[in-house]
Amino acid sequence: MPTLPAVTNIAQTIQLSLAPVFMLAAIGQLLNVLAGRLARVIDRARALELLLARVEADERARYKWELRLLDERMTIINAALFLAVSSAVMACVVIALLFIANIGKFAIGTVIAVVFIVGVTLLIACLTAFIFEVRVSLRSNHVRKELLL
């Protein structure tokens, strides 16, 4: 008859899984921010598309430039969302592997470490994409110098 894992072993596994759980909470907040930014970009793009048909030729170039910028931002945010979700999946896999290793008495510590490192690397890539998107968004928000004179 197989022996069941002791309560202390399960408690230790729960303690070990806290870091990935906190990482999941942080990723959840990041996903919320990214989804909000994407929604605002999409709303702005739709508004500009409607305005584009009604503006003078000199303003049309500015609107087209901003639409290209918004398209670039959507692409970056979508990539960041993909990276964040992939990181969250890796954190979930780490948690599952911790319990599987504990219950099955498997020596897969290296696998768990590698999966965690992949998850953190994906999170770093997501944060890098996020800061890049913020920098791109600032291009459209700079006040034109001729308006300041």
Side-chain angles (χ1 to χ4, degrees):
M1 179 172 154
T3 59
L4 297 175
V7 172
T8 54
N9 286 346
I10 296 297
Q12 288 173 340
T13 305
I14 290 170
Q15 287 174 338
L16 286 173
S17 69
L18 283 180
V21 167
F22 282 122
M23 188 169 135
L24 275 174
I27 293 169
Q29 291 298 320
L30 184 57
L31 286 169
N32 191 29
V33 168
L34 289 169
R37 289 183 74 85
L38 182 60
R40 291 190 65 184
V41 169
I42 289 171
D43 289 345
R44 177 66 180 154
R46 286 181 180 155
L48 279 178
E49 286 172 347
L50 292 174
L51 289 173
L52 192 60
R54 295 184 233 150
V55 296
E56 301 292 324
D58 56 337
E59 287 184 50
R60 185 169 290 164
R62 166 92 174 133
Y63 285 0
K64 285 183 178 181
W65 173 83
E66 190 174 344
L67 277 170
R68 283 191 293 277
L69 200 63
L70 291 170
D71 186 60
E72 182 181 354
R73 289 181 62 196
M74 283 186 259
T75 301
I76 296 167
I77 295 170
N78 277 323
L81 284 165
F82 175 80
L83 291 165
V85 170
S86 298
S87 179
V89 168
M90 291 296 113
C92 291
V93 169
V94 165
I95 294 167
L97 287 175
L98 283 169
F99 282 94
I100 290 168
N102 186 322
I103 292 169
K105 307 262 189 261
F106 300 121
I108 56 172
T110 303
V111 172
I112 294 170
V114 167
V115 172
F116 187 74
I117 290 167
V118 168
V120 170
T121 303
L122 288 165
L123 182 56
I124 291 167
C126 169
L127 292 169
T128 302
F130 176 62
I131 195 66
F132 185 66
E133 187 275 330
V134 169
R135 298 292 299 167
V136 169
S137 74
L138 291 176
R139 275 194 256 157
S140 67
N141 292 325
H142 282 298
V143 176
R144 289 184 283 175
K145 303 256 188 275
E146 65 269 13
L147 297 176
L148 296 174
L149 301 174

